[in-house]
Amino acid sequence: MALQKMQRIYIYALKKDKEQILGLLQRRGVIEIRSMLKEDKVFRRADVSQNVESSEKTVATVTHALEILNSYVKENKSITSLLQVKKEISEQVYESFGEKYESVTGIAKRIISLSKEIAEEKAELVRLQTQAEILKPWVNLDIPINFKGTKYTAAFIGTLPRARTLEEIYAELAQYMPLDVEIISATKEQTCIFVLCLNTYKDKVFEKLRSMDFALPSVSNDRSPAEQLRELERQIEKVNERVNSLLEEIRAYDKDRNDLYFLLDYENILIEKYEAIGKLLQSKNVFIITGFIPEKDAKQLENELTARFNLVVEITEPKKKDDIPVLYKNNGFSEPLEETVNSFSPPGKGEVDPTMVMSLFYYMLFGLMFSDAGYGFILALGCAAVLLKYGKILERSMKNTFKMYLYCGIATVFWGVVFGSYFGDLFDVVATTFFGVEDVPVIPPLWINPVEKPMLMLTFCMAVGIIHLLTGLAMKGYQMARQKDYKGIIYDVVFWYVLLISCIILLLSMDMIKDIFGINVYISDMAVKIASILAIVSAVGIILTNGRESKNPFKRFLKGLYALYGISGYLSDVLSYSRLLALGLATGVIGSVINKMAAMTAKGFLGPVLFTIIVIIGHALNIGINALGAYVHTNRLQYVEFFGKFYEGGGKLFKPFGMHTKYFKIKDAN
């Protein structure tokens, strides 16, 4: 339940050593640089906004370039990339990257430029193809579409809606004979026609055609449609060649993908460095670094700095007003759940780290909800295999995720054995279906089968919930003890402990409660009387003390009554633990249904094959669905029921100045 002890650090150094000192601090990654001192006439902070903006612009450019490259060339991802394993490079490689900086930046810009050219060429291709499609119905016309006629004749070239026959068109234009009508092409949607008439009837023929919804073509040229189409096809071919050439060039940059990823990390390291520089106080010859450092790292860093540079290091205890960053200190069992705590909020000022105590319940609650030994074995085995093979190279967060699910899987195996669930009742179904065994279960539960005794299981789940809630209340008392608020321990913890335990004893003494839950607990009359008295005394104590911050007696009394009403919240919290029964039953029942469905197909030559397929697919889906449900509801029980009793959060995580990269890990030469 402890956090790393933090100390203030002040480093006073010569400006000529600034780059080397910052480089060393960034590689060590143990100081969170903060602006703790004010500017004056001598010491000022540098404006690094342009540097940061420039690097952020490069990051945006490279990110865009990689998105484009990935859209044209699918990246081959190995198992290590899926596990977010960073490639390790030496410090020398990192420092020498400056020589290729311009060329790699140029590659990113060229990829973006190529993408733009490809888009423009494809737009031109669409335009040419559209023109070609418009010309295709006119390909049999051996004169230009814009032909208007001769000295004595007028020509009309255009389209009529729907399919028309020559007879229909001649019938419409019969009064203007002599004239010539030719159908160039016809579809259900339109008929392309050529009409030639005497100039005498030019206007009347045109008016008649317009009444027939005649429309002029959307293209016009001095050459015949066939010639135009051939020219368009040549242009389309050339555009396709240019597009293919551009695509080949953009795909050729696949070999530079790692350089582009490295450039992203390189710029992000620079951004972090510029932001740190912006927090430093600097004069003409001196600069000052201020911030926080874990106590365990302070002496070692001080010795290293003073041995290599001419500077002064001052390490002091934090001040009361300081917003001290949070750095966890947990063992290997609890450490995987630090991110779970962070998802709610890091510990606030004066609060204890709940990770250790939470972990004792977290794995147990997950196992109770998943509750199948077979499922837990698969989960634990998969995580153990990944950790054994890749544990040394996995990033801390990813490694902790696998460790968390490993412990959850082990807890699931335990509860699966206790409840006798092995892929539901798969062993029993296999034994009865294929071997004619009648004496089931093949492997009896170590304790009970929740499906057969749901009320006993519900009682157990509520008992677990009560212990969980009381532990949360105890954590509140522990925090108050650290703050030396001894009156608060009595008023806000002891009174509630006495009231809740007394109420539990009184409830367990009632025959109705015993009948509902199917339990037989003997409680003597003396114990009931003592519990009744203690319940009344503690209730009065809560009413009189929970509004103690108010000077007005009436307000204090009302606040006390409202605080006592909070006992209904404890009741609803205890009922929330019924989800342990619900999800546990869901896992087992769904598994059993899958087994029954598989058993229905087990007869015949292909029966065993169909049985195996249904079992594998069905249980795989059940594992996925119920593992997710167990994870979500375990978190809910921690965040709402457990944390609600003592924990507020609101702290800020320790964010040291370092080389925080995404794709590469820089190995320190020292």
Side-chain angles (χ1 to χ4, degrees):
M1 293 191 291
L3 297 171
Q4 294 274 9
K5 187 176 180 182
M6 307 299 292
Q7 292 184 309
R8 276 184 168 225
I9 185 169
Y10 301 82
I11 301 172
Y12 307 90
L14 297 175
K15 206 168 181 180
K16 66 182 180 65
D17 297 325
K18 184 175 72 174
E19 287 298 320
Q20 288 180 288
I21 292 172
L22 287 175
L24 186 146
L25 294 179
Q26 193 166 24
R27 290 192 299 275
R28 296 296 175 267
V30 294
I31 292 181
E32 180 177 321
I33 297 178
R34 295 258 191 105
S35 299
M36 294 180 173
L37 300 174
K38 294 181 179 180
E39 293 180 295
D40 55 30
K41 294 180 180 179
V42 178
F43 287 95
R44 312 288 295 179
R45 290 188 177 88
D47 182 6
V48 295
S49 57
Q50 288 186 347
N51 304 80
V52 172
E53 186 179 342
S54 175
S55 289
E56 287 177 343
K57 186 177 179 181
T58 303
V59 168
T61 300
V62 177
T63 302
H64 187 203
L66 282 167
E67 288 172 355
I68 293 167
L69 187 59
N70 290 335
S71 67
Y72 288 107
V73 188
K74 189 175 180 180
E75 185 178 5
N76 292 322
K77 291 192 174 181
S78 61
I79 184 67
T80 53
S81 63
L82 293 174
L83 293 173
Q84 299 177 9
V85 175
K86 296 178 183 178
K87 297 176 182 177
E88 194 172 84
I89 61 168
S90 67
E91 190 178 331
Q92 290 77 13
V93 172
Y94 166 72
E95 290 175 350
S96 65
F97 185 76
E99 298 172 6
K100 355 174 14 177
Y101 180 87
E102 292 298 332
S103 63
V104 178
T105 306
I107 289 171
K109 292 177 180 178
R110 179 57 182 162
I111 290 172
I112 294 171
S113 175
L114 287 170
S115 174
K116 185 178 179 182
E117 289 181 45
I118 290 170
E120 291 172 351
E121 293 294 345
K122 285 185 175 180
E124 176 65 10
L125 189 62
V126 170
R127 187 185 69 81
L128 294 172
Q129 289 171 338
T130 302
Q131 287 187 351
E133 288 298 319
I134 294 171
L135 282 170
K136 282 179 181 178
W138 301 99
V139 73
N140 294 325
L141 183 66
D142 55 3
I143 59 174
I145 290 179
N146 62 359
F147 178 70
K148 301 299 183 185
T150 63
K151 184 177 179 180
Y152 301 104
T153 61
F156 300 99
I157 300 172
T159 60
L160 295 173
R162 69 181 177 81
R164 301 287 189 113
T165 63
L166 275 174
E167 289 76 9
E168 289 177 316
I169 299 171
Y170 270 115
E172 294 283 352
L173 301 174
Q175 56 184 316
Y176 307 117
M177 298 292 286
L179 54 76
D180 179 57
V181 177
E182 185 178 342
I183 294 178
I184 308 302
S185 65
T187 63
K188 291 181 181 180
E189 289 77 25
Q190 68 175 15
T191 302
C192 298
I193 63 171
F194 169 76
V195 178
L196 189 68
C197 67
L198 294 174
N199 273 334
T200 308
Y201 301 118
K202 175 181 177 181
D203 294 336
K204 293 181 179 179
V205 168
F206 185 63
E207 286 299 320
K208 185 62 179 175
L209 287 172
R210 286 185 63 186
S211 69
M212 297 166 65
D213 294 327
F214 176 79
L216 295 172
S218 58
V219 292
S220 180
N221 201 284
D222 293 332
R223 291 180 293 173
S224 68
E227 290 180 76
Q228 292 182 61
L229 192 58
R230 284 193 293 272
E231 177 59 27
L232 286 172
E233 288 173 348
R234 283 194 293 271
Q235 292 180 32
I236 288 171
E237 186 177 352
K238 288 180 179 179
V239 172
N240 277 323
E241 288 176 357
R242 288 198 296 273
V243 169
N244 289 332
S245 175
L246 293 170
L247 287 173
E248 284 180 15
E249 184 179 351
I250 208 169
R251 289 183 185 124
Y253 288 119
D254 183 44
K255 68 181 187 303
D256 300 300
R257 193 189 297 269
N258 279 338
D259 282 340
L260 292 170
Y261 282 136
F262 190 83
L263 180 56
L264 278 180
D265 281 348
Y266 188 84
E267 287 293 348
N268 282 319
I269 290 171
L270 282 179
I271 289 171
E272 191 167 1
K273 186 175 181 180
Y274 290 139
E275 289 175 344
I277 291 172
K279 297 174 184 176
L280 308 182
L281 283 178
Q282 303 183 61
S283 68
K284 184 178 179 181
N285 299 311
V286 176
F287 72 99
I288 305 172
I289 299 174
T290 57
F292 288 98
I293 184 171
E295 185 181 44
K296 65 182 181 65
D297 299 314
K299 195 64 181 175
Q300 183 179 347
L301 183 67
E302 181 182 4
N303 292 339
E304 186 174 6
L305 287 172
T306 53
R308 296 179 59 177
F309 304 101
N310 184 19
L311 48 72
V312 175
V313 178
E314 182 183 351
I315 297 173
T316 63
E317 293 298 317
K319 298 178 180 178
K320 288 185 178 181
K321 64 179 181 180
D322 284 342
D323 185 9
I324 303 171
V326 173
L327 182 61
Y328 295 103
K329 182 183 180 181
N330 289 299
N331 57 30
F333 181 76
S334 304
E335 185 184 355
L337 292 174
E338 289 174 358
E339 283 303 318
T340 304
V341 175
N342 290 338
S343 296
F344 182 85
S345 181
K349 195 169 185 178
E351 288 188 322
V352 297
D353 173 18
T355 311
M356 178 58 195
V357 177
M358 187 188 82
S359 64
L360 300 174
F361 289 95
Y362 192 96
Y363 301 128
M364 179 183 70
L365 296 178
F366 185 99
L368 274 170
M369 284 189 265
F370 209 20
S371 69
D372 186 282
Y375 294 173
F377 179 75
I378 289 175
L379 181 62
L381 183 64
C383 292
V386 172
L387 289 169
L388 285 172
K389 188 168 184 179
Y390 302 104
K392 292 181 179 179
I393 60 175
L394 282 175
E395 289 300 303
R396 182 175 178 271
S397 60
M398 184 61 70
K399 186 175 182 179
N400 280 340
T401 298
F402 281 105
K403 285 174 68 177
M404 182 189 81
Y405 283 112
L406 170 65
Y407 297 140
C408 287
I410 293 171
T412 302
V413 171
F414 172 79
W415 289 112
V417 172
V418 169
F419 301 136
S421 181
Y422 302 86
F423 298 102
D425 58 351
L426 181 61
F427 290 170
D428 297 346
V429 171
V430 170
T432 54
T433 303
F434 294 104
F435 301 102
V437 176
E438 295 182 0
D439 186 15
V440 293
V442 175
I443 306 176
L446 202 61
W447 179 37
I448 61 165
N449 185 335
V451 176
E452 295 175 356
K453 296 183 178 180
M455 290 309 297
L456 180 56
M457 183 63 190
L458 179 61
T459 304
F460 174 71
C461 292
M462 289 185 173
V464 170
I466 291 169
I467 295 170
H468 197 205
L469 294 173
L470 291 178
T471 304
L473 202 54
M475 290 287 288
K476 183 176 183 178
Y478 176 72
Q479 283 190 169
M480 287 180 168
R482 282 166 51 95
Q483 297 164 4
K484 298 182 179 180
D485 183 8
Y486 301 116
K487 288 183 179 179
I489 295 174
I490 296 172
Y491 299 154
D492 298 335
V493 178
V494 174
F495 281 160
W496 276 106
Y497 252 96
V498 173
L499 178 61
L500 292 171
I501 293 173
S502 299
C503 288
I504 291 169
I505 293 172
L506 292 173
L507 286 171
L508 291 176
S509 69
M510 297 179 182
D511 293 335
M512 179 184 70
I513 298 297
K514 292 179 182 179
D515 293 339
I516 290 174
F517 291 101
I519 55 177
N520 186 17
V521 180
Y522 173 74
I523 299 176
S524 66
D525 293 339
M526 180 62 68
V528 172
K529 288 180 181 179
I530 294 173
S532 300
I533 295 170
L534 290 175
I536 294 171
V537 171
S538 58
V540 172
I542 290 169
I543 292 172
L544 295 177
T545 61
N546 268 264
R548 56 188 178 274
E549 70 279 358
S550 296
K551 294 182 179 179
N552 187 311
F554 183 67
K555 285 184 178 181
R556 188 184 308 164
F557 178 74
L558 290 179
K559 286 183 178 180
L561 281 177
Y562 183 76
L564 182 63
Y565 178 71
I567 196 169
S568 62
Y570 278 94
L571 176 61
S572 64
D573 287 345
V574 172
L575 291 174
S576 290
Y577 289 84
S578 62
R579 73 187 66 239
L580 298 174
L581 169 67
L583 270 77
L585 286 178
T587 304
V589 171
I590 293 172
S592 298
V593 170
I594 292 166
N595 297 334
K596 297 284 189 299
M597 292 171 60
M600 293 168 64
T601 67
K603 295 180 180 179
F605 178 72
L606 293 176
V609 176
L610 293 173
F611 180 91
T612 304
I613 292 172
I614 292 172
V615 165
I616 291 173
I617 295 175
H619 284 291
L621 292 172
N622 198 25
I623 288 173
I625 293 169
N626 285 289
L628 178 62
Y631 172 75
V632 170
H633 288 284
T634 301
N635 284 341
R636 186 205 178 279
L637 288 173
Q638 303 297 337
Y639 293 160
V640 179
E641 275 71 32
F642 185 59
F643 283 0
K645 300 298 171 284
F646 71 97
Y647 188 71
E648 293 182 5
K652 294 181 181 179
L653 286 176
F654 178 61
K655 294 181 179 178
F657 172 50
M659 293 184 169
H660 297 107
T661 56
K662 185 176 180 181
Y663 304 102
F664 292 87
K665 184 188 230 177
I666 300 163
K667 187 177 180 181
D668 193 347
N670 298 325

